[in-house]
Amino acid sequence: MESERTSEVVADSLIKEIRGNYLAIGATLPTERELCDRFSASRPTIREALRIMEFKGYLRQASNKRPVAEKPTIQKILKYTAENLKEILDDTDSQAYLEQMRQFIEVGALRTVIESSSEVNLARIHKALVECHQAIGNQKTFAEADIAFHRAIVKVVDNPIMLNLHDMFIRNLLFSRPPVSDQNEHDTMVYQEHKSIYEAILRKDAEAAMAVMNQHLHRSYKIRLQVPSVE
Amino acid sequence: MESERTSEVVADSLIKEIRGNYLAIGATLPTERELCDRFSASRPTIREALRIMEFKGYLRQASNKRPVAEKPTIQKILKYTAENLKEILDDTDSQAYLEQMRQFIEVGALRTVIESSSEVNLARIHKALVECHQAIGNQKTFAEADIAFHRAIVKVVDNPIMLNLHDMFIRNLLFSRPPVSDQNEHDTMVYQEHKSIYEAILRKDAEAAMAVMNQHLHRSYKIRLQVPSVE
DNA sequence: AATAAATTTTTGTCAAACAAGATTAGAAAA
DNA sequence: TTTTCTAATCTTGTTTGACAAAAATTTATT
């Protein structure tokens, strides 16, 4: 029978306080010496407990500063996961694997939209489509509208894990988008693809919707893999 | 400018050794006192470093035992993620969200099979189908063959993250499978669904394949949500 | 060779101390 | 009275040295 380290016991206890809202998010934790008194433990043991809490996402503490209570969020957990995966897989590989996942999520979400989407959700997708149209030619605004269109589709699934995964992927996309030579031409083409997707949604044509979405996602991803020119 | 804690520096250094294969997986780490000498740090600081490494997945150490080098694997990272998500989401919710993800993965993989699968992969799916047929009536063997059929499809994607996610889901499925009243009837129905999927794959009918797969996955999941009887 | 006992080593934790950075309180200036 | 500056105090980061209990190794016995 394995006994648990005192540091684990202390960390678990403090985590319960945070999760039970006895310690507010952003609130400074009691000093190490206060925690020593409270838990009848030594300071090195308390410090170990604080490290444990930090890695479980319940604490944030810059060096030489007071520790602050936090709670893990879906976003943080997924971000941490992606970083860990990046560390053990080749960086390019892990990126491609995660992009593939994003595509599966988007295509799956599209199918959900077609099978069982409410009027509210359709209205949201339509609004996103209109905003794409209005943003044609403006690189920044169009990028955001482009992303919002995809997000509106994934949001229909009502699954916070997938939505956060999608948001995480989108963050990466925003930062790695290559420049396009003709903004208007590019935006118009993307808008046409969105429009085709939306129309297929309306007539509940799953096959057409998914074919266009697949093409749209692959083309969009391939832009980032284009052959460097020899200038 | 934030200085890094000595414990972080030590942890990072040891992690580099493990990742560079200077420390073999499963090998016992140097004693704490040896590490103190090597890094010119105090023992409490080394112990903090060991906790950090433990939570980054590079160390395993039961209480009162020697620490042992490990490496994170995709499986471990994903398992850790699932546990964390379970903690911050309602348990039932997180299960359902993850199940939804599995379904997206399977449907997306099916599409990949239809669009671009090799003869080798088709042969593997066919083999799994045949093994389903042979296992009809034997609960344990059929369950395994059922799972192997799905795995053969996901394996086509050649994405280790998704395959490990799928394996993780499958592990849960195995443990939570409810009993069926008529094994033969159940197995035959499942086999028929697998057969329909396979046939749709052969004739590259994406819509049909995905419709059956969707039905198959939903029905399979709903068995676990059946209304308790009033005996 | 196998088992038991004795010895040594190691982990887990403690207390006390000091250095450096962060925070607070009090005094001085505007 | 308010603002700024300085000194004092507090807190984190880390060290040293110690002890208890468990684990590992060595030695002795069968």
Side-chain angles (χ1 to χ4, degrees):
Chain A
M1 189 63 192
E2 277 180 21
S3 69
E4 216 177 10
R5 292 194 190 93
T6 304
S7 52
E8 301 261 9
V9 173
V10 171
D12 286 347
S13 185
L14 286 168
I15 284 170
K16 278 198 181 69
E17 280 188 38
I18 293 172
R19 294 176 72 219
N21 297 319
Y22 296 114
L23 254 185
I25 313 305
T28 298
L29 259 71
T31 66
E32 291 175 1
R33 288 165 179 105
E34 279 166 349
L35 292 172
C36 291
D37 291 341
R38 190 199 302 185
F39 291 103
S40 302
S42 70
R43 243 214 319 141
T45 299
I46 295 296
R47 292 182 58 79
E48 272 186 57
L50 295 180
R51 294 295 73 74
I52 290 168
M53 290 173 70
E54 198 166 356
F55 275 89
K56 288 193 172 186
Y58 286 94
L59 188 92
R60 181 168 32 91
Q61 185 182 7
S63 186
N64 259 328
K65 295 291 186 79
R66 296 282 300 274
V68 174
E70 287 217 322
K71 273 192 191 178
T73 63
I74 296 176
Q75 187 183 7
K76 280 195 213 136
I77 292 169
L78 295 178
K79 184 159 177 282
Y80 184 68
T81 300
E83 281 162 8
N84 285 348
L85 289 173
K86 203 192 302 186
E87 251 191 64
I88 69 170
L89 296 168
D90 174 77
D91 192 32
T92 304
D93 286 359
S94 74
Q95 296 269 50
Y97 293 143
L98 291 172
E99 167 65 21
Q100 206 171 25
M101 271 201 69
R102 179 180 81 94
Q103 290 176 17
F104 277 29
I105 287 170
E106 292 227 15
V107 171
L110 189 54
R111 192 175 184 93
T112 303
V113 170
I114 287 165
E115 283 175 359
S116 55
S117 189
S118 69
E119 310 285 11
V120 174
N121 287 322
L122 284 176
R124 284 187 183 136
I125 295 167
H126 177 257
K127 185 189 175 198
L129 180 69
V130 169
E131 278 164 3
C132 279
H133 184 255
Q134 287 166 352
I136 290 176
N138 183 320
Q139 185 192 5
K140 187 165 181 290
T141 314
F142 188 81
E144 285 165 358
D146 180 8
I147 285 156
F149 179 76
H150 290 273
R151 197 173 190 274
I153 289 170
V154 174
K155 208 161 158 32
V156 170
V157 183
D158 200 25
N159 180 327
I161 297 174
M162 282 200 258
L163 193 58
N164 271 280
L165 268 174
H166 187 262
D167 288 344
M168 188 175 75
F169 296 139
I170 288 306
R171 205 166 289 121
N172 293 340
L173 281 179
L174 256 187
F175 293 145
S176 62
R177 204 176 268 271
V180 295
S181 49
D182 188 330
Q183 189 69 37
N184 261 297
E185 183 183 19
H186 166 265
D187 295 354
T188 301
M189 176 186 55
V190 170
Y191 170 74
Q192 287 294 344
E193 282 169 341
H194 286 179
K195 182 162 162 281
S196 296
I197 289 163
Y198 179 72
E199 282 166 350
I201 288 171
L202 286 187
R203 61 178 191 266
K204 293 188 181 287
D205 185 346
E207 182 52 29
M210 277 183 288
V212 183
M213 177 63 93
N214 242 321
Q215 181 198 2
H216 175 56
L217 296 174
H218 279 124
R219 181 197 48 73
S220 171
Y221 184 60
K222 277 184 183 124
I223 290 183
R224 264 170 284 130
L225 304 182
Q226 61 193 356
V227 182
S229 52
V230 193
E231 7 167 339
Chain B
M1 188 60 191
E2 278 181 18
S3 70
E4 215 177 10
R5 291 195 192 93
T6 306
S7 53
E8 301 260 11
V9 173
V10 171
D12 286 347
S13 185
L14 286 170
I15 285 171
K16 278 197 181 70
E17 279 189 41
I18 294 171
R19 293 173 76 225
N21 296 320
Y22 297 113
L23 254 184
I25 312 305
T28 298
L29 259 72
T31 66
E32 292 176 0
R33 288 167 178 101
E34 279 166 348
L35 293 172
C36 292
D37 290 342
R38 192 200 303 184
F39 291 103
S40 302
S42 69
R43 244 218 314 142
T45 298
I46 296 295
R47 292 182 58 79
E48 273 186 55
L50 295 181
R51 295 292 77 71
I52 290 168
M53 289 172 71
E54 199 166 356
F55 276 90
K56 288 193 171 187
Y58 286 94
L59 187 92
R60 181 169 30 91
Q61 184 183 7
S63 186
N64 260 328
K65 296 291 186 79
R66 296 282 300 274
V68 174
E70 287 217 322
K71 273 188 186 177
T73 62
I74 296 176
Q75 185 182 10
K76 278 194 217 146
I77 292 170
L78 295 178
K79 184 161 177 283
Y80 184 69
T81 301
E83 281 164 7
N84 285 348
L85 289 173
K86 205 192 302 185
E87 253 191 61
I88 71 172
L89 296 168
D90 175 77
D91 192 31
T92 304
D93 285 359
S94 75
Q95 296 268 51
Y97 293 143
L98 290 172
E99 168 65 21
Q100 207 172 24
M101 272 201 69
R102 178 179 83 93
Q103 290 176 17
F104 277 28
I105 287 171
E106 292 225 16
V107 171
L110 189 55
R111 191 173 185 94
T112 303
V113 170
I114 287 164
E115 284 175 358
S116 55
S117 190
S118 68
E119 309 285 11
V120 173
N121 288 322
L122 285 177
R124 283 187 184 138
I125 294 168
H126 176 257
K127 184 187 177 202
L129 181 69
V130 168
E131 279 164 2
C132 279
H133 184 253
Q134 287 167 353
I136 289 175
N138 182 321
Q139 186 192 3
K140 186 166 183 288
T141 314
F142 189 81
E144 284 165 359
D146 181 7
I147 284 155
F149 179 77
H150 290 273
R151 196 173 191 276
I153 290 171
V154 173
K155 207 162 163 23
V156 172
V157 184
D158 198 25
N159 180 325
I161 298 174
M162 282 201 258
L163 193 59
N164 271 280
L165 268 173
H166 188 261
D167 288 345
M168 188 174 76
F169 296 139
I170 289 305
R171 203 167 289 121
N172 293 341
L173 280 180
L174 256 187
F175 292 145
S176 63
R177 203 176 268 271
V180 293
S181 49
D182 188 328
Q183 190 70 37
N184 260 297
E185 183 182 15
H186 166 265
D187 295 354
T188 302
M189 175 186 57
V190 170
Y191 170 73
Q192 287 294 345
E193 283 169 340
H194 287 179
K195 183 161 163 278
S196 297
I197 290 163
Y198 180 71
E199 283 165 351
I201 289 170
L202 286 188
R203 62 179 192 265
K204 292 186 183 291
D205 184 348
E207 182 52 28
M210 277 183 287
V212 183
M213 178 62 92
N214 243 321
Q215 182 198 1
H216 175 57
L217 296 174
H218 279 124
R219 181 197 50 73
S220 170
Y221 184 61
K222 277 185 184 122
I223 290 183
R224 264 169 287 134
L225 304 181
Q226 60 193 2
V227 182
S229 52
V230 193
E231 12 166 333

